[in-house]
Amino acid sequence: MAQFFLFDHPLIQHKISMLRDKNTSTKEFRELVQELSMLMAYEVTRDLPLKEVTIETPVATTSTAKVLEGKKIALVPILRAGLGMVDGMLSIVPNAKVGHIGLYRDPNTLKPVEYYCKLPEDIVEREVVVLDPMLATGGSSSAAIQFLKDRGIKNIKFVCLIAAPEGAERVMKDHPDVPVFCAAKDEKLNDHGYIIPGLGDAGDRLFGTN
Ligand code: PRP
Ligand code: URA
């Protein structure tokens, strides 16, 4: 059963609106993507396992103190725009390793084209969090997830900032075992596969290209 988590936290909604604004500068855009990723990391890591340890406080000893069990995580941003989400996530899970998958969407066919892949050696042992701010047709994210599954990775989550209904449906249909975390679900795609209202081209806005 596919799981879709939509964030309704006011801080997240406020920052998403600032991100959408065409007058937001590249510097502000980058900072907002980083802050949003950090806020979302809190919920994405909600199911991390804990173990009990013994700790001495200044007044007593407790054997029921809980600490993270140390589950290994790998972040996998989809290049380019996913890169903007890495630092925010790492501020919450600083020991995560980072792999990269390079995909771009062919502007004519809207199909993803792979051009780069470098993953941590022990990635199959890790919980993998795939990052891409935009889930439009779902072609790129679905292909990236399949690419990871083909390498034997079983435990995958997908985190995006803005999703079109078409993309969300596609990923959940192709990968019902992969929970999708999303800050905003928009109205539709336009004829060029851009999310409406969206925020434009995330990679261009993040890196100041056009
Ligand atoms: C954007 C975005 C996603 C993809 C979403 O990347 O970052 O990867 O489009 O579209 P889809 O859901 O229809 O596949 P783009 O191809 O523009 O590459 P870039 O990040 O290098 O700009
Ligand atoms: N990629 C983007 O960066 N923006 C969209 O709206 C769709 C795909």
Side-chain angles (χ1 to χ4, degrees):
M1 171 72 166
Q3 286 180 295
F4 186 83
F5 298 92
L6 189 60
F7 291 75
D8 59 359
H9 195 288
L11 284 176
I12 291 184
Q13 293 309 309
H14 178 82
K15 287 179 193 297
I16 284 286
S17 297
M18 293 167 74
L19 203 61
R20 293 185 191 279
D21 189 334
K22 67 177 185 184
N23 295 314
T24 295
S25 70
T26 301
K27 172 181 178 287
E28 290 166 323
F29 192 91
R30 250 182 231 142
E31 289 167 357
L32 285 163
V33 170
Q34 191 172 331
E35 288 163 7
L36 279 159
S37 309
M38 188 180 73
L39 292 171
M40 292 175 80
Y42 178 77
E43 201 55 37
V44 172
T45 53
R46 176 172 285 284
D47 61 353
L48 282 181
L50 293 167
K51 63 179 179 188
E52 289 189 343
V53 294
T54 301
I55 280 179
E56 282 185 37
T57 79
V59 287
T61 299
T62 172
S63 56
T64 57
K66 292 177 180 56
V67 296
L68 289 171
E69 204 177 46
K71 185 165 185 165
K72 294 175 170 180
I73 294 178
L75 306 177
V76 178
I78 301 177
L79 305 181
R80 290 176 298 168
L83 280 178
M85 299 176 73
V86 172
D87 284 350
M89 286 271 163
L90 280 178
S91 63
I92 301 295
V93 284
N95 291 321
K97 288 193 176 175
V98 182
H100 297 86
I101 295 180
L103 290 177
Y104 71 87
R105 197 173 68 155
D106 183 288
N108 297 315
T109 65
L110 299 184
K111 299 262 184 288
V113 182
E114 187 202 322
Y115 62 89
Y116 184 77
C117 177
K118 183 82 181 169
L119 301 171
E121 257 177 26
D122 61 352
I123 194 158
V124 287
E125 297 160 25
R126 292 177 177 264
E127 172 169 315
V128 175
V129 182
V130 179
L131 306 172
D132 194 329
M134 307 306 276
L135 176 54
T137 64
S140 305
S141 40
S142 186
I145 292 166
Q146 190 58 51
F147 190 81
L148 294 169
K149 286 184 173 177
D150 291 345
R151 275 147 191 80
I153 298 153
K154 293 197 168 55
N155 203 344
I156 303 174
K157 290 175 176 169
F158 177 71
V159 185
C160 64
L161 300 183
I162 299 184
E166 296 89 331
E169 262 172 44
R170 162 95 187 260
V171 172
M172 289 193 289
K173 182 168 164 284
D174 291 353
H175 305 289
D177 54 315
V178 175
V180 175
F181 297 80
C182 169
K185 195 169 177 189
D186 276 9
E187 205 184 311
K188 59 179 181 185
L189 291 176
N190 71 9
D191 293 343
H192 305 285
Y194 274 83
I195 301 175
I196 303 297
L199 51 72
D201 187 302
D204 281 346
R205 295 199 62 189
L206 197 53
F207 295 108
T209 50
N210 211 333

